[in-house]
Amino acid sequence: APAAAPLEPAAAARTEDPQANTNPDKRPEVEQLADKLEKHMKKEGKEDKEAVAVIDTILQEFPKCGPKDRQLLVKTLGKCFEQRRLVPEGEPPNNSLYIGAAVALGKMGPESVEVLLNWIGAKNLRKDLAVQNKLISSLGKTKDKRGLKLLKNLLDDKENALIHASAEALGEFADADLETRKDVFEAMLKALMDAKNAKDADANNNIAKDKFDVVAAPLITSLGKVSKHEERDPQAIQQWWNKHKRDDWDKLE
C-alpha cells in the first residue's frame, strides 16, 4: 500500500494532543511575533494590513510551537476582537483584522476553541455577520466537541446566515464517533424539517421561503457527510433516519 501522505502543518497541529507536544517552548521569536501583532492591532485600524500579515506568519509558526507558545499566540489573536473599529454611517465594516484572526484560529485547534466560543455571539461583534460566519466556520474546523453545543444552538438562530454557517460547521464532524454523528444529525434534521414545514404551511410566507432557501442546502449536505448517506430530499432523509437511527451507520450498505 502507498504510504499515507504527511499531514500539512495546520492539520498536524490540529490532531495532535497538546499534552504530547514536545516542540521547543518559550522561544523569544514567538514572543516577538505576539508583541508585533499587539502593536499593529492597537493603532485603531491604521495598521490592520500589517497586523493581518503578522497573523499569517503566526499561522506558519504555530505548528512548530510548544504548548506555552501556542497559548500565547492564541491569546494574542483573541485580543484582536477586543479592538474597536469605528465605521462612519453607511460605510462597509472595517473588519479585516477580525476576519484574519477568526480564520487563523480555525487552524489552531484545540488550543483556540475557548477563544472562538468566547467571541461567537459576543456583544460588540454580534451584528457583523461576516465575522460571526468566519468564527463559526473556524469552530467547526477545530473538530472539537466543546463546540458542539453552541453550533447546535445556532441552528435556531434568527439570522439565516448563521444557521447556514453552523450547518456547514457541523458537517466537519463527519469523522467523529457514531454517537456524536447521530446527535449532530438529529439536530440538523430537526432544523431542516422545521424550515420545510414552515415553508409548506403557507405558500405566501416569503420569510419562511427565504429561510428554507438559505438553510436547506448546507443542512442537507452536512446531513450526508455525517451519515455517509447521500439523499437530497428532506422527506427521504427523515424516512432514512426513522429506519436507521439505531443502526451502525458504518456497516450499512
Side-chain angles (χ1 to χ4, degrees), residues 137-148:
S137 172
S138 284
L139 184 58
K141 286 187 166 72
T142 68
K143 298 176 169 48
D144 194 298
K145 286 190 192 176
R146 286 172 291 169
L148 280 174

Side-chain angles (χ1 to χ4, degrees), residues 170-234:
L170 286 164
E172 298 280 357
F173 289 85
D175 298 321
D177 58 273
L178 187 58
E179 187 185 353
T180 299
R181 284 160 50 207
K182 287 186 177 185
D183 178 51
V184 166
F185 186 97
E186 191 169 17
M188 290 195 293
L189 179 60
K190 182 183 183 306
L192 176 65
M193 297 314 285
D194 286 352
K196 181 185 185 298
N197 294 338
K199 173 185 73 96
D200 293 349
D202 178 2
N204 299 317
N205 184 342
N206 285 334
I207 292 173
K209 183 182 177 301
D210 289 347
K211 177 175 182 175
F212 184 79
D213 287 348
V214 172
V215 307
L219 282 166
I220 289 168
T221 299
S222 288
L223 283 161
K225 284 181 180 174
V226 299
S227 64
K228 313 277 193 270
H229 174 77
E230 255 329 296
E231 196 75 70
R232 299 304 296 178
D233 175 62

Side-chain angles (χ1 to χ4, degrees), residues 29-101:
E29 58 268 40
V30 172
E31 198 175 331
Q32 282 158 15
L33 269 179
D35 288 346
K36 200 171 169 189
L37 177 56
E38 282 215 44
K39 284 196 179 87
H40 288 314
M41 76 168 82
K42 288 182 173 162
K43 290 289 185 341
E44 297 178 350
K46 295 186 194 74
E47 295 180 11
D48 281 0
K49 204 173 191 168
E50 290 83 351
V52 171
V54 177
I55 290 172
D56 286 341
T57 309
I58 283 174
L59 210 43
Q60 327 256 301
E61 202 57 40
F62 190 76
K64 305 173 226 165
C65 288
K68 294 259 188 329
D69 281 348
R70 288 190 184 191
Q71 279 172 351
L72 171 67
L73 292 177
V74 165
K75 190 177 167 191
T76 308
L77 279 173
K79 289 180 186 170
C80 292
F81 304 108
E82 295 168 12
Q83 312 306 313
R84 304 309 281 262
R85 294 291 177 261
L86 296 172
V87 177
E89 196 64 44
E91 294 282 311
N94 179 4
N95 57 12
S96 63
L97 176 70
Y98 310 141
I99 286 179

